[in-house]
Amino acid sequence: PPFHADAAWKYVLGKYFPDFLNFFYAHIANHIDWRTPYETLDKELLNLTTESMVGKRLVDKLFKVRLKQGGECFLLLHIEVQGDYETHLAQRLFEYFYRLYDRYRLPIITMVVLTDDSPSWQPDRYQMSECGLEILNFQFFPKKLLDYQGQEAELLEMDNPFGTVVTTHLAALATRPNPNARYENKSALTRKLFEKGLRHDAILNLYKFIDWLLTLPEDLAVRYNETVHELEKEFGMEDYPLTTAERIGIKKGEFTLLSALLQQKFPNTSLTKYEQELKEANEDTLIEWTKRVLEANTLDDVFKGH
């Protein structure tokens, strides 16, 4: 579901921004002075793009980086993960571009990761012409996850975590109508994390992405939890279990996901009024509230009837 994909991509981009650039846009990454800490400007982006929750995008991120070429030379990188076909995507990205430029007066590169299942949809520019004259040719830089189909084995051997991220999203698309196939893919991807000998924190970060994106019905979720327990024993990680409170389980996962979406949709609104209800809600209620978030105009719209 897009709700889970939203939180998953937001989480992994926050954790692995340099790896994201090196995986999808290595040429740009090579120009960045990584010795200078980059800035995350997500709140500023939300303030400038008042329609940022409209449409079928998954997540917007804005980073400010310093370039190697010397002096005070900075660049803005606007990253959008787009979950489905959108008629006016190119126009909207151009509108974001000029709003950001008007605010910061810095060069901007717009990057779009297309996670939809339509091979023919490959937007890369917004053009405007009149009276036989080309008035505007705004170019952005898409990466289509479907283009990586057939490369899953090689992707999983990469040190870059986005090899696992891309493979996981492809598995989510391929197994959407087949819960049993999704369980098999999810178990295999989790095993691969252990087999690669990653540090515990790296396993946990990618495990969360896999768990959020490859959602399972409750019976298979319980079976998957048992599989993870066995992997922890097999690879000697019982002292650092993924299935304790640190792990995103069925109810805890829904709670964490809902909290993240509420903070993204209503960044300046306190959740204190509903804190107790959130803690006491069962899994079905949390799922229902999560479904309401994208259509809600206020917090009351999310929690109505409870």
Side-chain angles (χ1 to χ4, degrees):
F3 313 111
H4 295 81
D6 186 321
W9 276 95
K10 186 178 180 67
Y11 178 81
V12 80
L13 280 171
K15 287 287 184 182
Y16 294 118
F17 166 59
D19 294 295
F20 168 86
L21 279 189
N22 278 302
F23 183 89
F24 288 111
Y25 302 96
H27 175 70
I28 295 172
N30 290 336
H31 287 280
I32 294 174
D33 178 6
W34 293 109
R35 296 170 301 177
T36 302
Y38 57 84
E39 294 182 51
T40 303
L41 303 175
D42 294 351
K43 289 184 179 179
E44 290 82 353
L45 178 64
L46 279 172
N47 290 335
L48 287 170
T49 56
T50 54
E51 298 176 357
S52 62
M53 292 302 292
V54 178
K56 299 178 180 179
R57 73 182 98 8
L58 297 178
V59 68
D60 281 317
K61 300 286 285 184
L62 182 65
F63 297 95
K64 181 181 178 182
V65 298
R66 187 172 187 169
L67 298 178
K68 289 179 179 177
Q69 59 197 61
E72 294 297 306
C73 189
F74 292 92
L75 173 69
L76 295 182
L77 300 175
H78 175 209
I79 300 169
E80 180 160 315
V81 183
Q82 178 70 24
D84 212 339
Y85 174 82
E86 181 184 337
T87 304
H88 301 295
L89 171 69
Q91 178 181 333
R92 179 170 57 74
L93 290 175
F94 169 66
E95 291 171 356
Y96 283 11
F97 176 89
Y98 72 66
R99 290 178 192 175
L100 289 169
Y101 184 75
D102 186 53
R103 167 68 176 82
Y104 292 102
R105 298 292 170 174
L106 289 173
I108 305 160
I109 295 177
T110 302
M111 309 167 176
V112 184
V113 179
L114 301 170
T115 68
D116 60 286
D117 58 2
S118 174
S120 62
W121 190 50
Q122 300 273 359
D124 68 353
R125 66 192 63 226
Y126 177 63
Q127 296 176 304
M128 188 183 297
S129 60
E130 194 60 60
C131 303
L133 300 174
E134 183 178 77
I135 300 170
L136 174 69
N137 186 5
F138 166 69
Q139 188 173 3
F140 52 94
F141 302 93
K143 293 293 180 179
K144 187 83 169 186
L145 294 195
L146 287 182
D147 291 341
Y148 293 89
Q149 280 184 326
Q151 304 176 39
E152 288 86 349
E154 293 84 356
L155 291 173
L156 288 176
E157 295 303 323
M158 288 182 173
D159 292 331
N160 191 308
F162 276 86
T164 297
V165 167
V166 171
T167 303
T168 301
H169 205 110
L170 289 174
L173 292 175
T175 62
R176 196 180 302 172
N178 190 334
N180 288 313
R182 176 163 289 201
Y183 163 77
E184 295 295 338
N185 274 264
K186 186 171 185 175
S187 298
L189 286 165
T190 307
R191 168 172 282 278
K192 190 65 178 179
L193 296 182
F194 286 88
E195 290 177 344
K196 292 181 75 170
L198 301 175
R199 298 191 318 271
H200 176 259
D201 61 333
I203 290 177
L204 179 62
N205 290 336
L206 291 172
Y207 167 79
K208 286 181 177 180
F209 184 85
I210 292 169
D211 199 28
W212 256 329
L213 211 64
L214 294 173
T215 53
L216 295 168
E218 187 168 350
D219 58 332
L220 289 176
V222 171
R223 185 178 166 191
Y224 171 71
N225 291 348
E226 294 170 352
T227 299
V228 174
H229 277 304
E230 292 303 315
L231 287 172
E232 289 165 349
K233 292 178 184 177
E234 181 180 345
F235 289 90
M237 292 190 63
E238 292 174 275
D239 292 336
Y240 306 98
L242 299 179
T243 46
T244 61
E246 188 179 37
R247 178 192 174 276
I248 300 176
I250 298 173
K251 179 177 176 180
K252 183 174 174 58
E254 297 297 343
F255 177 87
T256 306
L257 172 62
L258 177 58
S259 298
L261 289 177
L262 288 171
Q263 289 168 11
Q264 182 179 351
K265 182 71 180 284
F266 307 106
N268 300 315
T269 306
S270 172
L271 299 178
T272 304
K273 177 181 176 182
Y274 298 101
E275 196 169 50
Q276 195 61 33
E277 292 179 70
L278 282 165
K279 289 180 180 178
E280 296 176 356
N282 60 32
E283 183 195 355
D284 290 339
T285 300
L286 290 171
I287 291 173
E288 176 60 30
W289 287 341
T290 300
K291 290 178 179 178
R292 294 177 184 173
V293 171
L294 296 183
E295 300 296 330
N297 294 315
T298 67
L299 275 177
D300 289 337
D301 291 338
V302 177
F303 295 102
K304 61 187 177 184
H306 291 274

